[in-house]
Amino acid sequence: MGVARPSQVPRRWFRHAILLVIFALLLYYLCAWSLRALSGCGSEAQSCIPKGLLPFQTQQQSGTLEAPEREEPQCLGPQGMLSRMMKPFHASLNPEGDVELSQYLAGWRELIRFLTPFGSIFAFATSEAFTKVQHLEAQVHGPDAAHYTSLVGMVAWERRAGRLERPGIAPRDSARSSGSRTMLLLHRALRWSQLCLHRVATGSRGGPDAGEQCSDAYNTALGPHHPWLVRQAAHLAFLAFPGRNRLLELACPGSGEAEARAALARAAGTLEDVYNRTQGLLAERGLLQLA
């Protein structure tokens, strides 16, 4: 009489277990990014909003939408969130065709402040951006500050000084990244923000929902530069993306839908202006593949 062999675990159980483990890892990764963003956005930051302080350009997509002639909504007033974000970004575009770094970074701080209430996916996308803002600010205000007043001046000096990385080669210590590489990473994140806000503002009723449109914007601007695990975590987060009406309420509180759409389209237009100029300057200097 032979000894009975232990029954084998069905293969389908094993496959299901693997899928559950992958799903759990994705959720853990997403939660870690979100908590990092909400609790500090970096090892040295105490708050995401501290007090104080493609080689081709895109065809203009964003712009003003027609709204009933009324008093300007509060979100576009002097103390409005959209206005506070648009003002420094607009000021970063100097008459000489360059980008002023201090104003650009001030605009990024306001953009992060604006996006924070929108939910975890925005924290997911902007947490690393905040760390990069801090890194570039340290150079703008550091011992070599004279070379970090504008994008063109920074790139020229870092190239002369041999500080530019080889294309596609990340430095071992991210804290030692060149300002040009940091600027490129911020530039890509700005593109995603601009595309998402523009599509929230202009999406038609009955068409794709805001989550689908912003997920598509992520695939266009950031996804190609992220590893597989990050892309999967982002796609999961978009499943819980707020609806368009909720986003419009958060973007422009107290305004009607038409007013909020028009205001958000104006803000997206400002971001697109900054993106297009930065894209052109980086492309002219062969830096779009630096990271």
Side-chain angles (χ1 to χ4, degrees):
M1 182 173 179
V3 179
R5 295 182 180 180
S7 61
Q8 295 182 344
V9 178
R11 290 186 178 181
R12 65 176 180 274
W13 289 15
F14 184 68
R15 290 198 299 269
H16 292 167
I18 291 177
L19 291 175
L20 287 173
V21 170
I22 292 174
F23 184 72
L25 286 173
L26 291 175
L27 289 179
Y28 174 80
Y29 194 89
L30 177 61
C31 290
W33 272 57
S34 300
L35 288 173
R36 181 183 178 191
L38 295 175
S39 63
C41 295
S43 58
E44 298 179 359
Q46 293 184 348
S47 170
C48 285
I49 313 171
K51 298 180 180 179
L53 305 173
L54 341 144
F56 303 105
Q57 292 176 309
T58 62
Q59 184 176 5
Q60 190 77 15
Q61 295 179 335
S62 307
T64 58
L65 295 179
E66 294 296 328
E69 293 186 3
R70 301 178 184 175
E71 184 177 348
E72 193 167 62
Q74 186 178 359
C75 60
L76 290 177
Q79 301 303 317
M81 291 282 286
L82 284 176
S83 178
R84 293 204 308 268
M85 182 263 290
M86 293 164 62
K87 184 177 179 180
F89 272 126
H90 181 72
S92 72
L93 303 176
N94 70 21
E96 291 74 33
D98 204 347
V99 175
E100 299 291 336
L101 294 181
S102 61
Q103 292 290 345
Y104 179 86
L105 294 171
W108 250 112
R109 282 183 173 267
E110 291 298 333
L111 177 59
I112 292 171
R113 186 191 301 270
F114 171 70
L115 293 177
T116 296
F118 281 24
S120 61
I121 184 58
F122 287 95
F124 171 83
T126 60
S127 60
E128 285 299 301
F130 181 81
T131 302
K132 291 171 177 59
V133 167
Q134 287 186 309
H135 174 65
L136 194 50
E137 281 180 332
Q139 294 169 302
V140 168
H141 302 293
D144 297 314
H147 304 292
Y148 287 89
T149 59
S150 72
L151 173 57
V152 172
M154 172 183 68
V155 173
W157 182 75
E158 289 190 334
R159 181 163 276 153
R160 290 195 307 269
R163 295 196 177 190
L164 291 182
E165 298 86 355
R166 286 187 297 170
I169 305 299
R172 292 182 179 180
D173 182 3
S174 60
R176 300 179 65 85
S177 295
S178 67
S180 300
R181 186 177 189 276
T182 301
M183 185 74 177
L184 175 60
L185 297 175
L186 285 172
H187 174 64
R188 291 170 180 167
L190 186 72
R191 179 58 169 163
W192 176 75
S193 300
Q194 178 267 320
L195 284 174
C196 182
L197 296 182
H198 170 71
R199 293 174 187 184
V200 169
T202 61
S204 61
R205 293 182 179 180
D209 59 29
E212 182 179 346
Q213 290 184 312
C214 288
S215 177
D216 182 63
Y218 169 84
N219 291 335
T220 298
L222 289 176
H225 309 287
H226 283 170
W228 180 86
L229 188 60
V230 175
R231 294 197 304 272
Q232 300 311 307
H235 292 155
L236 283 175
F238 278 115
L239 298 178
F241 199 78
R244 190 183 314 278
N245 289 339
R246 178 57 179 160
L247 290 173
L248 292 172
E249 291 173 4
L250 291 169
C252 202
S255 299
E257 180 181 344
E259 292 174 324
R261 281 175 176 264
L264 197 58
R266 283 178 60 180
T270 297
L271 297 184
E272 189 169 17
D273 289 340
V274 175
Y275 172 84
N276 278 336
R277 180 174 293 189
T278 306
Q279 179 80 355
L281 293 173
L282 292 173
E284 289 170 5
R285 289 153 182 81
L287 297 179
L288 291 178
Q289 302 304 319
L290 188 61

